[in-house]
Amino acid sequence: MSSFFFWKNWSRANRLTYLISFSVFIISLVLLAIGWAEGLGNVVHWDVLSELNELPITFHRFSDGLLDYAVDGKAYAVSEQFIASGMQVRPSVATGLLAGICLSFVLLMSAITRFNRIRYLISMAVLILGLAFFRWEMLELPGLGSNYLFLLLTFVFGSVSYYFHAFRPDFPITVRLGIFALLTALIAGSLGILSPVKFPALVIVSYGMPVLLVFSIGFIFFIATEIIAGLVWLTSAGRSETPGGPSGQRRVLGMNNFLFISFLYLINLVLIWLKNTKSIDWDVLAISPFVLYLISITLGVWGFRRMIEQQEAFSFRDAGAYVYVGMALLTTLTIGYAFATANDPLVEMFEDVIVYTHLAMGVAFVAYILINFWPIFQQNLPVYRILYKPKRLELSLFRVVGVFGVVVLIASGGAIAFRQSLAGYFNGLGDLYTATNEPRSANAFYQLALEQEFQNHKSNYAMASLALSQNNQTAAAFFFQQALLKQPSPQDYAGLSQTYLQTNLFFEAVKTLQRGIRAFPKSGELRNNLGFLYARTSVADSAYYYLKSATAQADRDEVPESNLLAFYARNPTVLSADSNLLSDRKDLVYESYQANALALQLIVPTMTRQPAKPTWLTTESAKQGLSVGCFASLYNYTLAEQTPDSSITGSLRRLSEDPINQDFTDDLLLARAVAEYKRHNQPVAFSLLSQLAENDQRNGPAYRSITGLWLLEQGLYRQAAETFGANSDTTSTYYRAIAYTKAHDPALAQSFWEISARNDSAVVALKQVLYQERKPQTDLEKAFYAIYRMDDLNRGAYWETIVDPSLKTVAGVALINDYLDQLQWRNAQLVLSGLPNAKQVSPIATSLRNVAAIRLSAFRRSVGSAETMAKEFILPQYQAERDYWLGQTYERTRRTDLAQKMYRQALLLAPLNARIVTAAAQLAQQKNQTKSAYDLVLTALPFNEDNPDLLKTYVTLCLSLSLPDYAESGLSKLQVATTPADYQAFRATYQEKLASIEKSREKFLQ
C-alpha cells in the first residue's frame, strides 16, 4: 500500500501541495462525468409554454321559486407543452475552464523549473508557443495591441521561470507554486479589469481552443499506453501462494493471460474504430472511449511515477507529479468543456483521438513489451518493475511508430477528426458571438463549422436557435431537420414540431412528434406534446393515451398531469363515461394543475369537493407578475369559491393595479367583481362590471348580462331591465321582459315578451298566460299568473288548484305579501295556513314561507312568533329579508336597539335593498345619526331612483344636513317616481320642513 499512497513519505510541503492539486484533478474528473451524463442538457433545457383555453361555464345560479337563472361566464384551463430552449451559452463555464487552465499553467511552470537544461528549454518553448496562439489581441487592451501582450507575458513568466531554474533551484515547490499563482492571479485580474470586451474569459478560451486541443491530444497520446502497462502489472505482479509463505512462491497470470486480455482490449478498440468509420453497423457492446480515457488517466497517476523513477529523468516528487496533474487537469477540463457546451464535433474528435491513440500505441506498446521482456515474462518475474528499462529497443522508437499509426488511422477516416476539430473551434467562436449578442458574426462562424461537418448537431441547433430568435420559422425548421441527421435528440423533434405549428402545418407537427416518439419512446416530453396536439382535435382517445403515458415518463410529471385535467375539463363527457378517471388524482402545488382542477370543478357540477385556495398566494410569487398558471388558478378559484374571502379581494385589487399584469387586467377585474359580490359588496361589484362593459365593446354584452342577472337577484328590477336593454340578443330581451314584469309593469314588458317568445315555446306559454291570451293550465303557468297578475282579484282561484307543493308555496307567499301590502292580514293568515307541509317543498319555497311568516308576525307585533320563525330554515339569499322583518317587529314594539341591530345585519347582506335601507336610515335619523343614515341612502339611491320611500328619506336627510340643493334634486326625482297625489302630500311636508329650517337659521343669525 506504500506504493499506492506514494506521497505519504514526502515532505509536508510536497504532500500538501500535491494532494490539493490532486483533489482539483479528481474534481475535474467528476465534472467531466457530470457533463458527459448531461449531454445536450448542458446547453438545452425544456421550457414550458402555457396557453389559456376559455371554457364556457355557469358560475352562479339562483331561482325565484318559479324560474331558474344562470349567470354564465368563462373558466380558464391551462394547456402546456414542452418547448426546447435555444442553444444556451454560459460564459461562466468558460470562466471555470480558464481558472483550471491557469491552475494547470501554474503547476507546469512550477514543475519544469526543476528539469535539466534541455528539458527545461524544450518545455518552456512549448509553453511559450502555446501562449503565442492564444490570440491575446482579441482582448483589445488599450496600448497592448498586436503581439505586445504576448511579449509582456512571455517576459514576465519566462524571466521568473528562468530565475528559479538557473539561480534558485533550491526553492521548495510551495514557493514556486505561490509565486506563479500570485503572478497568474494578478495578470488574470488585471486583464479582466482592463479588457473592454464583454466576456474576456470566453474570448480567451474560444480563440485559444486550438492550443488546448493540441496539448490535450498530446497528453492523450502520452497516456495511451497506461492500460497496457496496467495489464502488465496485473499479469506479472504476483502474490504468495499461502499467507506468510516465502516470497519465491508467487502466483502470476503470466504472458498468455496478458496477450489474451490485451487482445480483447485491442479488439474492442478496433470495433469502436470500425463502427465510428461506418465500416460496420453492428450493435456491439463496446467500451466507451471516454471510459478508456478515465481508466488511462487514473492509471497514469501511478504509471507515470513508475516511468519517471525507472528512467531517472527527473524528480517525480519535485516535478513529475505536478507535470502529470497539470496536463491531466488541462486535458480533462478541455474534454469536459466540450461536453458542457454540447460541442459534438469536439466530443467526436476526442473519441477518435482516444481510439486512434490507444489502438496505435496499444499495438506498439504490446510489441515493445514482447520484444524487450518476452523471456522475463515467461519466467513469471515482475516485468512492471523494469517496464521502462528496455533491453533492446527504446520506448521512444515505438512512440514514433505509434504516431505514424495514428496518422494512418486518421487518414483512413478521410481526416474527419481534423475537420471536426475545426468545426468545434468555429462552434466555440459562434458561441462567443452569440453571448455578445452579435448574431451575424455568430451565424458566420456556425456556417464555417457546417462547412467542415455539415451534420454536426451543435451548429445546426445553434443556427435553428438564431433563426427562431429572428422569427424565421422556415430556416429554423431546416436546421432542426439537419440536426436530426446524425445525433437526433427529443429537443430537435420538439423544436421542429413547434416550427410547423407556428407556420400552421398542424399535421406535419403531429407526424414529427410521432417520429420522435418512435426514436425516443421514453420521452415523456414528446408524448405530452403529442397529447397536447391531439387534445386540439376530436381524437380524444389518443390525447388521453399520450398524456397519461407522459405522466410516468416526463421529468416534470406535473405538466402532463395538468394537461390531463385540462383535457377532462374540455371533454366532460369523457368523465361521464368513466368516473374512475379521477380516482388517482393528485394534490399538486403546481399552479397550472391547481387552475385546471378548479376549472374542472366549475364545469362538472357533480364535483362537490371544496375548492382549494391556490398555494402560491402565500408565497413570494404573490408579489410578482402573474404567470399563466397563477392567473388561471386565482381566477378560477374566485369563481368556484362560494364563501366570502376578503384576502382574495385584496390580492385581486393589488394584482389588477400592477402594470405588469396588464394582459390579465380585465379578467382580474371581473374576478374581483365576483369576489366583491360574494362579499355582499354589491355597489363595488356593479361599478367594476360597468367599467368593464364601457371599456370592452367585444365583451360588453357578457358583462352587462352578468350585471343584469345580479340586479335581478338583488330585486333591482328596473335597473336590471335598463342594463339588459343595452344588449340586443334574445336572451337579454327575455330577461328584460322578466325584469319589467317583476317591477309590476306588464305594459312595458309586453313588447319584450313578444320578441323573446318568437322562437321559444316555453316563453310563448308564459307570455300568453300573463296577458290573458289563454287560461293557465300547468302548475307553473298558474303560479306565474297568480304572482304577476296582481290586477286580477280572482287569481287566488288558480292558486288553489296548484298541485306542486313548491310552486303552490311560492305563489302563496306572493299572495301573502300582496295582502299584507294592502293591510289585509287575516287573508294573509288564511293563505299561510293553507300552504303545503314544509317537508314537501323545496328549500327556496320553505325559506319564502318562513320569511312571510316573520312578516306576518311583524304586522301583528308578535315578537315571540317572529323570533321563533327566524330560527327556522332560511337560505342565505333570504336572510337579509329575515333580519329586516325581525327588525320591523322590534321597531313596531319599540325595541329600537334590537331593531337597529337587525337592520345592520340585513344591510351587510343587502346594502342596496331600498326597503331595508329606508327603514335603517329612518331609525338612525330618529336616533340623531343623520350622517350615517345619509351615507346609507346615498349608497343605495343610484340603484333605486324609482323608489318613492327611499327618495323621500333622502330628501328629508338632505334638509336635515342643510343640503337644500340636493334635496331639491331629490324632490324632482320623486315627482317622476310616485303618483301626483303622493308627491303633493310629501311636497307640503317638505315645504313645512324647509320653512322650519329657514326659521331656525334666521333665529340663529339674530
Side-chain angles (χ1 to χ4, degrees):
M1 292 297 290
S2 60
S3 63
F4 187 81
F5 299 104
F6 52 80
W7 53 81
K8 293 179 67 175
N9 298 324
W10 292 359
S11 66
R12 183 176 181 181
N14 286 75
R15 185 170 64 249
L16 181 62
T17 53
Y18 179 75
L19 288 178
I20 291 174
S21 59
F22 186 77
S23 300
V24 176
F25 162 61
I26 295 299
I27 293 173
S28 71
L29 292 179
V30 174
L31 293 176
L32 169 60
I34 294 173
W36 182 14
E38 288 293 322
L40 187 62
N42 288 301
V43 293
V44 177
H45 59 270
W46 289 110
D47 292 326
V48 176
L49 180 63
S50 304
E51 68 176 37
L52 289 173
N53 302 296
E54 294 185 6
L55 303 174
I57 60 165
T58 297
F59 66 87
H60 181 61
R61 298 175 185 273
F62 64 95
S63 173
D64 58 9
L66 295 186
L67 303 176
D68 296 327
Y69 305 89
V71 183
D72 295 330
K74 60 186 177 184
Y76 282 110
V78 182
S79 297
E80 296 181 327
Q81 55 181 320
F82 288 102
I83 301 295
S85 71
M87 185 73 75
Q88 303 295 308
V89 179
R90 293 179 292 176
S92 59
V93 177
T95 303
L97 173 60
L98 186 58
I101 294 171
C102 290
L103 179 57
S104 175
F105 179 75
V106 169
L107 292 171
L108 292 173
M109 289 294 291
S110 301
I112 65 176
T113 57
R114 296 302 303 271
F115 286 0
N116 59 37
R117 181 58 56 90
I118 298 299
R119 283 191 172 90
Y120 169 76
L121 293 176
I122 294 174
S123 300
M124 281 301 298
V126 172
L127 288 177
I128 291 171
L129 187 63
L131 282 176
F133 284 94
F134 259 93
R135 301 287 302 275
W136 301 101
E137 69 276 9
M138 299 307 298
L139 291 177
E140 301 178 9
L141 290 178
L144 292 176
S146 186
N147 293 323
Y148 293 128
L149 180 56
F150 160 68
L151 295 174
L152 178 61
L153 293 176
T154 301
F155 172 75
V156 172
F157 285 106
S159 59
V160 175
S161 174
Y162 188 76
Y163 173 78
F164 284 134
H165 171 75
F167 301 106
R168 297 307 302 264
D170 57 318
F171 275 5
I173 189 66
T174 51
V175 174
R176 287 176 279 152
L177 286 172
I179 295 298
F180 281 115
L182 181 60
L183 275 176
T184 303
L186 289 175
I187 292 174
S190 301
L191 294 180
I193 294 172
L194 297 176
S195 176
V197 299
K198 192 171 183 180
F199 302 111
L202 186 58
V203 170
I204 294 174
V205 168
S206 299
Y207 278 101
M209 184 55 67
V211 179
L212 302 179
L213 295 181
V214 170
F215 275 69
S216 299
I217 292 170
F219 181 71
I220 291 171
F221 178 84
F222 181 80
I223 64 172
T225 61
E226 292 299 335
I227 292 180
I228 299 295
L231 294 178
V232 171
W233 176 84
L234 181 66
T235 55
S236 67
R239 60 184 179 86
S240 298
E241 291 286 351
T242 59
S247 59
Q249 296 180 0
R250 301 174 62 253
R251 184 174 64 185
V252 296
L253 296 176
M255 172 63 77
N256 291 334
N257 285 309
F258 167 74
L259 291 176
F260 179 72
I261 299 173
S262 299
F263 176 75
L264 292 179
Y265 165 66
L266 295 173
I267 283 296
N268 177 78
L269 291 172
V270 170
L271 290 176
I272 297 174
W273 169 55
L274 292 175
K275 190 173 182 180
N276 286 350
T277 57
K278 306 299 182 183
S279 299
I280 62 172
D281 192 21
W282 301 348
D283 189 14
V284 294
L285 182 61
I287 301 175
S288 168
F290 294 106
V291 173
L292 298 179
Y293 169 78
L294 292 175
I295 296 173
S296 299
I297 201 170
T298 304
L299 292 175
V301 173
W302 292 269
F304 184 67
R305 168 179 168 269
R306 189 176 299 116
M307 184 185 72
I308 295 302
E309 291 180 347
Q310 292 178 18
Q311 292 181 347
E312 299 179 353
F314 45 82
S315 171
F316 179 76
R317 181 185 59 188
D318 289 333
Y322 300 97
V323 167
Y324 187 86
V325 171
M327 288 301 299
L329 180 62
L330 176 68
T331 305
T332 303
L333 288 177
T334 302
I335 298 175
Y337 185 73
F339 278 115
T341 55
N343 200 338
D344 57 299
L346 284 187
V347 172
E348 292 179 6
M349 185 274 295
F350 277 117
E351 279 188 331
D352 292 342
V353 166
I354 293 170
V355 172
Y356 295 163
T357 56
H358 281 62
L359 179 57
M361 277 307 302
V363 173
F365 199 61
V366 169
Y368 163 78
I369 293 168
L370 294 177
I371 291 172
N372 288 286
F373 307 107
W374 177 277
I376 301 174
F377 233 132
Q378 285 186 323
Q379 297 174 36
N380 292 331
L381 296 174
V383 177
Y384 69 94
R385 293 182 179 176
I386 57 170
L387 185 60
Y388 299 104
K389 294 181 177 181
K391 300 298 183 181
R392 297 180 181 177
L393 298 177
E394 294 291 333
L395 179 59
S396 57
L397 295 176
F398 291 91
R399 291 194 187 276
V400 172
V401 173
V403 171
F404 178 75
V406 171
V407 172
V408 171
L409 290 173
I410 291 176
S412 67
I416 183 63
F418 177 72
R419 294 201 303 274
Q420 285 176 329
S421 64
L422 288 177
Y425 170 62
F426 290 133
N427 278 338
L429 294 177
D431 285 350
L432 168 62
Y433 289 105
T434 298
T436 56
N437 197 25
E438 299 177 66
R440 297 183 66 178
S441 296
N443 185 77
F445 280 111
Y446 288 133
Q447 286 286 6
L448 289 174
L450 289 175
E451 291 176 8
Q452 298 297 326
E453 218 299 49
F454 75 97
Q455 291 182 327
N456 89 80
H457 185 272
K458 168 81 174 181
S459 303
N460 282 302
Y461 198 99
M463 291 287 285
S465 301
L466 288 174
L468 287 177
S469 67
Q470 298 165 4
N471 199 29
N472 189 343
Q473 302 293 336
T474 304
F478 171 78
F479 287 113
F480 277 129
Q481 288 174 331
Q482 289 292 103
L484 290 170
L485 294 177
K486 189 175 182 182
Q487 293 184 339
S489 68
Q491 289 88 344
D492 301 325
Y493 287 104
L496 181 58
S497 172
Q498 189 63 25
T499 59
Y500 285 141
L501 281 180
Q502 295 299 319
T503 51
N504 298 320
L505 297 174
F506 180 81
F507 292 105
E508 290 298 324
V510 171
K511 292 177 182 178
T512 299
L513 291 175
Q514 290 172 338
R515 285 177 17 230
I517 292 173
R518 286 195 294 270
F520 299 95
K522 294 185 178 181
S523 174
E525 290 77 14
L526 294 182
R527 287 180 174 272
N528 174 82
N529 287 6
L530 186 55
F532 171 89
L533 293 185
Y534 275 129
R536 289 184 172 185
T537 68
S538 58
V539 191
D541 53 346
S542 294
Y544 173 77
Y545 168 76
Y546 284 108
L547 290 175
K548 188 64 177 178
S549 62
T551 60
Q553 295 175 334
D555 290 337
R556 295 184 58 185
D557 64 323
E558 67 271 17
V559 174
E561 289 282 4
S562 175
N563 282 339
L564 264 180
L565 292 185
F567 169 73
Y568 296 149
R570 292 197 301 270
N571 301 274
T573 53
V574 174
L575 287 178
S576 61
D578 186 358
S579 58
N580 294 324
L581 291 175
L582 290 176
S583 59
D584 59 346
R585 174 178 162 186
K586 303 176 181 178
D587 289 322
L588 302 178
V589 297
Y590 186 52
E591 294 87 357
S592 298
Y593 184 89
Q594 293 179 332
N596 291 340
L598 290 164
L600 196 57
Q601 286 187 260
L602 287 167
I603 290 171
V604 184
T606 56
M607 293 182 62
T608 57
R609 190 172 180 175
Q610 180 67 20
K613 189 173 182 177
T615 55
W616 62 268
L617 281 170
T618 58
T619 66
E620 288 298 317
S621 300
K623 301 177 183 179
Q624 303 170 1
L626 288 175
S627 65
V628 169
C630 288
F631 157 72
S633 62
L634 175 60
Y635 176 89
N636 290 344
Y637 173 75
T638 306
L639 269 60
E641 179 58 45
Q642 297 302 317
T643 57
D645 189 338
S646 59
S647 65
I648 286 293
T649 56
S651 298
L652 288 168
R653 179 173 60 254
R654 177 177 50 79
L655 291 169
S656 63
E657 293 172 353
D658 193 338
I660 199 172
N661 299 317
Q662 60 181 351
D663 292 340
F664 306 124
T665 298
D666 286 354
D667 289 310
L668 289 173
L669 288 176
L670 174 60
R672 183 183 165 197
V674 173
E676 294 288 3
Y677 187 79
K678 291 177 180 179
R679 291 181 61 226
H680 309 293
N681 193 1
Q682 291 93 349
V684 174
F686 292 140
S687 174
L688 291 170
L689 286 174
S690 176
Q691 175 186 338
L692 286 168
E694 290 177 3
N695 296 334
D696 188 348
Q697 294 184 355
R698 185 173 68 89
N699 296 312
Y703 296 135
R704 285 189 288 270
S705 293
I706 295 172
T707 306
L709 287 167
W710 282 351
L711 288 167
L712 270 180
E713 186 178 27
Q714 295 301 314
L716 304 172
Y717 302 128
R718 291 196 179 274
Q719 284 287 114
E722 292 175 6
T723 302
F724 285 123
N727 292 349
S728 58
D729 60 288
T730 304
T731 303
S732 294
T733 304
Y734 165 71
Y735 284 137
R736 193 178 186 188
I738 290 288
Y740 279 128
T741 302
K742 285 179 173 291
H744 305 299
D745 196 344
L748 190 56
Q750 186 169 7
S751 61
F752 304 113
W753 280 109
E754 295 286 348
I755 296 172
S756 57
R758 290 174 181 171
N759 298 311
D760 193 324
S761 58
V763 178
V764 170
L766 293 179
K767 187 263 298 185
Q768 290 175 343
V769 168
L770 182 62
Y771 294 101
Q772 298 179 324
E773 297 175 7
R774 66 174 177 84
K775 293 181 179 181
Q777 298 174 356
T778 66
D779 284 350
L780 175 62
E781 293 173 356
K782 293 174 183 177
F784 190 78
Y785 185 86
I787 292 173
Y788 296 114
R789 285 303 308 209
M790 299 180 65
D791 58 330
D792 185 355
L793 299 180
N794 296 320
R795 65 186 187 280
Y798 289 110
W799 169 74
E800 292 176 350
T801 62
I802 297 175
V803 177
D804 184 275
S806 296
L807 291 176
K808 187 166 186 175
T809 300
V810 172
V813 168
L815 293 175
I816 291 171
N817 288 327
D818 187 29
Y819 284 134
L820 290 176
D821 288 340
Q822 300 175 37
L823 306 181
Q824 300 177 16
W825 69 270
R826 288 186 175 83
N827 289 339
Q829 181 69 57
L830 289 173
V831 175
L832 181 63
S833 61
L835 294 180
N837 191 302
K839 297 181 180 180
Q840 302 175 351
V841 301
S842 67
I844 292 177
T846 300
S847 301
L848 288 171
R849 172 187 179 138
N850 291 337
V851 170
I854 298 172
R855 181 181 181 183
L856 182 59
S857 298
F859 187 88
R860 299 175 58 188
R861 293 178 173 81
S862 177
V863 175
S865 174
E867 290 178 339
T868 301
M869 294 307 301
K871 296 176 183 178
E872 296 295 323
F873 172 79
I874 295 176
L875 288 172
Q877 56 264 41
Y878 299 105
Q879 288 176 4
E881 288 287 316
R882 176 201 64 188
D883 294 339
Y884 166 73
W885 288 115
L886 188 57
Q888 282 282 292
T889 306
Y890 290 137
E891 185 176 2
R892 292 176 184 182
T893 55
R894 302 185 183 281
R895 303 181 186 184
T896 55
D897 291 339
L898 288 175
Q900 191 168 44
K901 177 183 176 182
M902 298 313 300
Y903 288 155
R904 286 172 180 170
Q905 289 183 198
L907 285 171
L908 290 175
L909 300 175
L912 301 182
N913 187 297
R915 183 161 52 187
I916 296 174
V917 171
T918 300
Q922 289 176 351
L923 184 57
Q925 188 177 20
Q926 292 174 19
K927 291 177 170 291
N928 295 320
Q929 299 169 1
T930 307
K931 183 61 173 65
S932 61
Y934 176 78
D935 292 337
L936 290 176
V937 173
L938 200 61
T939 299
L941 189 60
F943 300 90
N944 295 276
E945 292 185 343
D946 59 336
N947 187 281
D949 291 336
L950 187 62
L951 284 169
K952 292 175 184 178
T953 304
Y954 172 72
V955 172
T956 303
L957 289 169
C958 287
L959 290 177
S960 299
L961 292 172
S962 301
L963 301 172
D965 294 337
Y966 290 162
E968 192 66 32
S969 175
L971 195 64
S972 301
K973 294 177 181 179
L974 177 64
Q975 187 175 10
V976 177
T978 190
T979 61
D982 184 56
Y983 172 74
Q984 291 300 329
F986 179 77
R987 184 172 180 82
T989 305
Y990 168 79
Q991 294 293 344
E992 292 176 5
K993 180 70 173 176
L994 186 61
S996 176
I997 292 173
E998 291 293 335
K999 186 176 181 180
S1000 298
R1001 181 183 300 173
E1002 291 175 359
K1003 184 181 295 186
F1004 176 77
L1005 292 175
Q1006 291 175 357

